[in-house]
Structure formats: structure tokens, C-alpha cells
Amino acid sequence: MIARSGLSKWTQPVEQPELDLWHMRRALDLAAAGQGHVEPNPMVGCVIALGAEVIGEGWHRSFGGPHAEIEALKLAGQHASGATLYVTLEPCCHYGKTPPCTKAILEAGIRRVVVAGSDPFPKVAGGGLAELQAAGIDVEVGLLEGESRRLNAPYLKLVRTGRPWIIGKWAMTLDGKTASRAGTSQWISNPESRRIVHGIRGRVDAILIGRETAQLDNPLLTARPPGPRTALRVVVDTHASLSPASQLVSTSKDVPVLIAVGPHASVADRNRLIQGGCEIFVCSATRHAARLDQLLEELGRRRLTNVLAEGGSRLLGSLLDARQIDEAHVFIAPKLLGGASARSAMAGDGFEEIAKAPSLEQPIIEAIDGDVYVHGCVVW
């Protein structure tokens, strides 16, 4: 059996709705442990309980590995018979890299299943719920559904739109500058803020920048120390003009680099980058916005779930204009740069009216050794 901290405070009988909330919150906490390890699969957590007593729990730990329900059922063993299973996403009902979870739930003798939300993946999409209900299991759907959907928003976007979840990140001064008038930006944010950025890099599938940022900053775009994922480094470079001496090209045989070029980039320049170890993706569209759209489609086709856009201002502005920034992580340093020609975070067309501008939903604001760190999901 699993001892659950906090259960001992219940000296009086607890109503079932309160128990259900308790167990589902635990399942959501478990699910979050899979971040960076399970994509393009969703993060899923599971708790199996008999009343207030937890007899099994688990989470989806890695892509291709056992699902959360299987982990929890294995721990519960024979005690699962007659128990309630709480899971943050609809159990799968198809054979993929693993057998269907619905089959294991039925075989274990689970009496009741409480699900936070349904899974829109075409091979599931309500089928798992229907299979359990048809077998006579009491199925309840919708408990803490909002929390579940927020947790798996990147997965849900990829399944429904074929596009990755775009995380915009930038560091700026108090007066909104991301670089000085001479183009220097190292370092606006402090070491602790940069440590947080490396943590984000280590859990995303790709890091996206523009050619000018690649040229001016000459970044590596790697996570240091490494995280659970190694991100594909993507440069939007219309004319294939990235220097072979750049850190990105010189390390491309060790950490992959994708260069998104326009239709008129010369074959010689493309081949130069290919010989350096880069992969080339040719966007056929002639307009910048349409080329960016084609690139996002390609990243989605590759099943990349989370993409971190680190700049520059033209790229971030284009993503904003296209309503393709889903989440923002902004580091504000207590510095003043000034300069009419100094870069700001976003270019593009922008919004004519403040009332129409998107905002962050319940933003989290933290003090990081003097920097102010603001992050949250974008509401369009």
C-alpha cells in the first residue's frame, strides 16, 4: 500500500467528491513529472484508490514506455479489483507502442473510472470511454478538466491543428530593449534567469531563431546542463546566408540544425550549409509570413510538440501577427539602455488597438535575483 501524506488529517468520514478531487489533484501532479520525457505523447498521471487509501499510482515516464494506468495497476496488483481509477486523460483503446490501457483496466476488475478529460487523438477520441462504459464500468468525465487541458495544451494543439506549441522567450531592459544600438545583448538577464532558460531549452523539441539573431549573437542554442530532450535548432534564413564559421553550423554534426530558406536561396549556398552538417528545408512561398506558416506546418509534421522561439524581433513579431505565440517567458532586467535604433522584443505589424492585444492568462510573476520573470499562456 502507498502512504499518502495529508490523509491522516481526515479524522471524520470524507465525502466522495472531496476524495475524488484529492486523488485527481495527485494524478495531475504525477502527470507533470513526464514533461520533456513523453512528447509527442501527452503527460498522464493515474491514481488507484479504495476510498481514502491509495493502492497504486503512476505516470507516463517516457515516450514508448508504459502508460500511467499500467504503472498504477502494476503497483496495485490484486488490490485493484473493486477500486476506483483516477486518470488525467482518457485511457487509450488501441494498440500502439503499448497495448490498450482499457484492456488492462477491465482485466484488473476496476469498478469505477474518473477521467479529467477525453483524448482527441483520432484512435482514441471517446473510444476508450465507450469501451469501459460498455463493459459496465462506472465512468465519470470532467473532474478538473481545465487543469488537465492546461497541462497538456501543447499536445492538444498538435493533435487538433498539426502545429507545435510556440513558446516565446526574450530578455529585455526596463525600457523594453533586447539589445543595444550596437546590437549587443550579452548579457541583459542575470545568470539565474539564464539558468531557467537552459531548463526550458532542455525540455523542448526545437529552438527557433531568425538569421539576424544567429549572426549577431552567434549562439549555440543548447541546454547547459543537458535536459531530457535535445532540441532541433532551427534558423529562419531566407537567403541561406548563415556563416559556416558560426557556432550553429560548426556544431551541426553533433546537435542537429535545420535551416529554413526561401525559394530563391542559391543552390550553392544551400549546399555549403548541407556540407557543414545542416539540414535544409525550402519554403516555397514568396512572402515571409507564408514561409513561416510552411515552416510551422513542417515542424508539426515532424511531431515536434514544443518549440521555443528566442528571437529576434522580426521573427517574434511575425509569430505574434500570425497569432502563433501560445506561451511567453519574459525576463526584465533592472537596466536602462535607451536608443531609438536599439532593438525591442517584437517588430511586425502589431495591434492598432490596445484592447485587441493578447494578454497572459493568470501570469506568474517572480523576482529572480533582481530580474523580474513573467510567464504564462497567451489568451487570444
Side-chain angles (χ1 to χ4, degrees), residues 67-97:
H67 289 187
E69 300 95 319
I70 304 304
E71 292 270 354
L73 287 168
K74 181 180 178 181
L75 193 57
Q78 63 182 6
H79 302 290
S81 181
T84 297
L85 182 145
Y86 301 84
V87 65
T88 58
L89 196 67
E90 176 181 2
C92 69
C93 54
H94 67 288
Y95 283 88
K97 291 185 177 295

Short mmCIF file of all heavy atoms in Angstrom, two decimals, residues 67-97:
data_model
loop_
_atom_site.label_atom_id
_atom_site.label_comp_id
_atom_site.label_asym_id
_atom_site.label_seq_id
_atom_site.Cartn_x
_atom_site.Cartn_y
_atom_site.Cartn_z
N HIS A 67 2.14 3.23 -20.06
CA HIS A 67 1.27 4.36 -19.75
C HIS A 67 1.02 4.43 -18.24
O HIS A 67 1.29 3.49 -17.50
CB HIS A 67 -0.03 4.25 -20.52
CG HIS A 67 0.13 4.50 -21.98
ND1 HIS A 67 -0.93 4.58 -22.86
CD2 HIS A 67 1.24 4.69 -22.75
CE1 HIS A 67 -0.49 4.81 -24.07
NE2 HIS A 67 0.83 4.88 -24.04
N ALA A 68 0.48 5.56 -17.81
CA ALA A 68 0.27 5.81 -16.38
C ALA A 68 -0.62 4.75 -15.75
O ALA A 68 -0.36 4.29 -14.64
CB ALA A 68 -0.35 7.20 -16.19
N GLU A 69 -1.68 4.35 -16.46
CA GLU A 69 -2.60 3.37 -15.92
C GLU A 69 -1.90 2.03 -15.67
O GLU A 69 -2.16 1.36 -14.65
CB GLU A 69 -3.77 3.15 -16.88
CG GLU A 69 -4.59 4.40 -17.14
CD GLU A 69 -4.16 5.14 -18.39
OE1 GLU A 69 -2.93 5.25 -18.62
OE2 GLU A 69 -5.02 5.62 -19.13
N ILE A 70 -1.02 1.65 -16.57
CA ILE A 70 -0.31 0.37 -16.43
C ILE A 70 0.64 0.41 -15.23
O ILE A 70 0.74 -0.55 -14.47
CB ILE A 70 0.47 0.04 -17.71
CG1 ILE A 70 -0.49 0.04 -18.92
CG2 ILE A 70 1.20 -1.28 -17.59
CD1 ILE A 70 -1.67 -0.90 -18.79
N GLU A 71 1.31 1.55 -15.06
CA GLU A 71 2.21 1.72 -13.90
C GLU A 71 1.43 1.59 -12.59
O GLU A 71 1.85 0.91 -11.66
CB GLU A 71 2.88 3.10 -13.98
CG GLU A 71 3.87 3.27 -15.11
CD GLU A 71 5.27 2.87 -14.71
OE1 GLU A 71 5.48 2.57 -13.52
OE2 GLU A 71 6.16 2.86 -15.59
N ALA A 72 0.26 2.25 -12.54
CA ALA A 72 -0.53 2.21 -11.31
C ALA A 72 -1.13 0.83 -11.06
O ALA A 72 -1.16 0.35 -9.92
CB ALA A 72 -1.64 3.26 -11.39
N LEU A 73 -1.62 0.17 -12.11
CA LEU A 73 -2.19 -1.16 -11.96
C LEU A 73 -1.14 -2.18 -11.51
O LEU A 73 -1.42 -3.07 -10.70
CB LEU A 73 -2.82 -1.61 -13.28
CG LEU A 73 -4.14 -0.92 -13.66
CD1 LEU A 73 -4.50 -1.23 -15.11
CD2 LEU A 73 -5.26 -1.34 -12.72
N LYS A 74 0.07 -2.03 -12.02
CA LYS A 74 1.14 -2.95 -11.61
C LYS A 74 1.42 -2.80 -10.12
O LYS A 74 1.64 -3.80 -9.42
CB LYS A 74 2.40 -2.64 -12.43
CG LYS A 74 3.58 -3.54 -12.11
CD LYS A 74 4.78 -3.18 -12.97
CE LYS A 74 5.99 -4.06 -12.61
NZ LYS A 74 7.18 -3.69 -13.44
N LEU A 75 1.41 -1.58 -9.63
CA LEU A 75 1.68 -1.34 -8.21
C LEU A 75 0.51 -1.82 -7.34
O LEU A 75 0.72 -2.37 -6.26
CB LEU A 75 1.93 0.15 -7.98
CG LEU A 75 2.51 0.56 -6.63
CD1 LEU A 75 3.83 -0.15 -6.36
CD2 LEU A 75 2.73 2.08 -6.60
N ALA A 76 -0.70 -1.64 -7.84
CA ALA A 76 -1.88 -2.04 -7.05
C ALA A 76 -2.03 -3.55 -7.01
O ALA A 76 -2.53 -4.10 -6.01
CB ALA A 76 -3.12 -1.40 -7.65
N GLY A 77 -1.65 -4.23 -8.07
CA GLY A 77 -1.77 -5.69 -8.10
C GLY A 77 -3.21 -6.16 -7.92
O GLY A 77 -4.15 -5.54 -8.44
N GLN A 78 -3.40 -7.21 -7.14
CA GLN A 78 -4.73 -7.78 -6.94
C GLN A 78 -5.67 -6.86 -6.17
O GLN A 78 -6.89 -7.03 -6.20
CB GLN A 78 -4.61 -9.11 -6.20
CG GLN A 78 -4.03 -8.98 -4.79
CD GLN A 78 -3.87 -10.33 -4.10
OE1 GLN A 78 -4.09 -11.37 -4.72
NE2 GLN A 78 -3.49 -10.30 -2.84
N HIS A 79 -5.12 -5.87 -5.47
CA HIS A 79 -5.95 -4.94 -4.71
C HIS A 79 -6.75 -4.00 -5.61
O HIS A 79 -7.65 -3.29 -5.14
CB HIS A 79 -5.09 -4.12 -3.76
CG HIS A 79 -4.31 -4.96 -2.79
ND1 HIS A 79 -4.90 -5.65 -1.75
CD2 HIS A 79 -2.98 -5.23 -2.72
CE1 HIS A 79 -3.96 -6.30 -1.08
NE2 HIS A 79 -2.80 -6.06 -1.64
N ALA A 80 -6.44 -3.99 -6.93
CA ALA A 80 -7.15 -3.10 -7.85
C ALA A 80 -8.61 -3.51 -8.05
O ALA A 80 -9.44 -2.68 -8.41
CB ALA A 80 -6.44 -3.06 -9.20
N SER A 81 -8.91 -4.77 -7.80
CA SER A 81 -10.28 -5.25 -8.01
C SER A 81 -11.26 -4.50 -7.11
O SER A 81 -11.08 -4.45 -5.89
CB SER A 81 -10.36 -6.75 -7.74
OG SER A 81 -11.66 -7.23 -7.96
N GLY A 82 -12.26 -3.88 -7.72
CA GLY A 82 -13.26 -3.13 -6.97
C GLY A 82 -12.87 -1.71 -6.65
O GLY A 82 -13.65 -0.99 -6.01
N ALA A 83 -11.69 -1.27 -7.06
CA ALA A 83 -11.19 0.06 -6.73
C ALA A 83 -11.63 1.09 -7.77
O ALA A 83 -12.20 0.78 -8.81
CB ALA A 83 -9.67 0.04 -6.62
N THR A 84 -11.34 2.37 -7.46
CA THR A 84 -11.58 3.47 -8.39
C THR A 84 -10.25 3.91 -8.99
O THR A 84 -9.25 4.05 -8.29
CB THR A 84 -12.23 4.67 -7.67
OG1 THR A 84 -13.50 4.27 -7.16
CG2 THR A 84 -12.42 5.84 -8.62
N LEU A 85 -10.25 4.09 -10.30
CA LEU A 85 -9.06 4.55 -11.01
C LEU A 85 -9.27 5.99 -11.46
O LEU A 85 -10.28 6.30 -12.11
CB LEU A 85 -8.79 3.64 -12.21
CG LEU A 85 -7.54 3.95 -13.05
CD1 LEU A 85 -6.91 2.65 -13.57
CD2 LEU A 85 -7.87 4.86 -14.26
N TYR A 86 -8.35 6.87 -11.07
CA TYR A 86 -8.38 8.28 -11.45
C TYR A 86 -7.27 8.52 -12.47
O TYR A 86 -6.11 8.18 -12.22
CB TYR A 86 -8.14 9.18 -10.23
CG TYR A 86 -9.15 9.00 -9.12
CD1 TYR A 86 -9.01 7.99 -8.17
CD2 TYR A 86 -10.26 9.85 -9.02
CE1 TYR A 86 -9.94 7.82 -7.15
CE2 TYR A 86 -11.19 9.69 -7.99
CZ TYR A 86 -11.03 8.68 -7.08
OH TYR A 86 -11.96 8.51 -6.08
N VAL A 87 -7.62 9.10 -13.61
CA VAL A 87 -6.61 9.31 -14.65
C VAL A 87 -6.87 10.66 -15.31
O VAL A 87 -8.02 11.09 -15.48
CB VAL A 87 -6.62 8.16 -15.68
CG1 VAL A 87 -7.95 8.10 -16.45
CG2 VAL A 87 -5.43 8.24 -16.61
N THR A 88 -5.80 11.35 -15.68
CA THR A 88 -5.91 12.72 -16.15
C THR A 88 -6.31 12.84 -17.62
O THR A 88 -6.62 13.93 -18.09
CB THR A 88 -4.58 13.46 -15.93
OG1 THR A 88 -3.53 12.75 -16.63
CG2 THR A 88 -4.24 13.55 -14.46
N LEU A 89 -6.27 11.73 -18.36
CA LEU A 89 -6.67 11.74 -19.76
C LEU A 89 -7.30 10.39 -20.09
O LEU A 89 -6.91 9.36 -19.52
CB LEU A 89 -5.47 12.01 -20.67
CG LEU A 89 -5.78 12.43 -22.11
CD1 LEU A 89 -6.44 13.80 -22.16
CD2 LEU A 89 -4.50 12.44 -22.96
N GLU A 90 -8.22 10.39 -20.99
CA GLU A 90 -8.94 9.18 -21.39
C GLU A 90 -7.99 8.02 -21.67
O GLU A 90 -7.03 8.17 -22.43
CB GLU A 90 -9.76 9.50 -22.65
CG GLU A 90 -10.49 8.31 -23.23
CD GLU A 90 -11.25 8.68 -24.51
OE1 GLU A 90 -11.17 9.85 -24.93
OE2 GLU A 90 -11.91 7.79 -25.06
N PRO A 91 -8.24 6.85 -21.10
CA PRO A 91 -7.39 5.69 -21.37
C PRO A 91 -7.43 5.30 -22.84
O PRO A 91 -8.47 5.37 -23.50
CB PRO A 91 -8.00 4.59 -20.49
CG PRO A 91 -8.73 5.33 -19.41
CD PRO A 91 -9.26 6.57 -20.07
N CYS A 92 -6.27 4.89 -23.37
CA CYS A 92 -6.20 4.51 -24.77
C CYS A 92 -6.88 3.17 -24.99
O CYS A 92 -6.95 2.32 -24.09
CB CYS A 92 -4.76 4.46 -25.25
SG CYS A 92 -3.78 3.12 -24.53
N CYS A 93 -7.38 2.96 -26.21
CA CYS A 93 -8.12 1.74 -26.53
C CYS A 93 -7.58 1.09 -27.80
O CYS A 93 -8.28 0.31 -28.46
CB CYS A 93 -9.61 2.04 -26.68
SG CYS A 93 -9.95 3.37 -27.87
N HIS A 94 -6.33 1.42 -28.16
CA HIS A 94 -5.76 0.90 -29.40
C HIS A 94 -4.35 0.38 -29.13
O HIS A 94 -3.72 0.72 -28.14
CB HIS A 94 -5.71 1.99 -30.46
CG HIS A 94 -4.73 3.09 -30.12
ND1 HIS A 94 -4.99 4.01 -29.13
CD2 HIS A 94 -3.52 3.42 -30.63
CE1 HIS A 94 -3.97 4.86 -29.05
NE2 HIS A 94 -3.07 4.51 -29.94
N TYR A 95 -3.89 -0.45 -30.03
CA TYR A 95 -2.51 -0.94 -29.96
C TYR A 95 -1.60 0.06 -30.66
O TYR A 95 -1.77 0.37 -31.84
CB TYR A 95 -2.39 -2.31 -30.63
CG TYR A 95 -2.92 -3.44 -29.79
CD1 TYR A 95 -4.25 -3.82 -29.86
CD2 TYR A 95 -2.08 -4.13 -28.93
CE1 TYR A 95 -4.74 -4.86 -29.07
CE2 TYR A 95 -2.55 -5.17 -28.14
CZ TYR A 95 -3.89 -5.52 -28.22
OH TYR A 95 -4.37 -6.55 -27.43
N GLY A 96 -0.64 0.59 -29.92
CA GLY A 96 0.37 1.47 -30.47
C GLY A 96 1.73 0.91 -30.10
O GLY A 96 2.03 -0.25 -30.37
N LYS A 97 2.54 1.73 -29.43
CA LYS A 97 3.81 1.21 -28.91
C LYS A 97 3.57 0.32 -27.69
O LYS A 97 4.44 -0.45 -27.30
CB LYS A 97 4.74 2.37 -28.55
CG LYS A 97 5.26 3.14 -29.77
CD LYS A 97 6.28 4.18 -29.37
CE LYS A 97 6.83 4.88 -30.60
NZ LYS A 97 7.60 3.98 -31.47
#
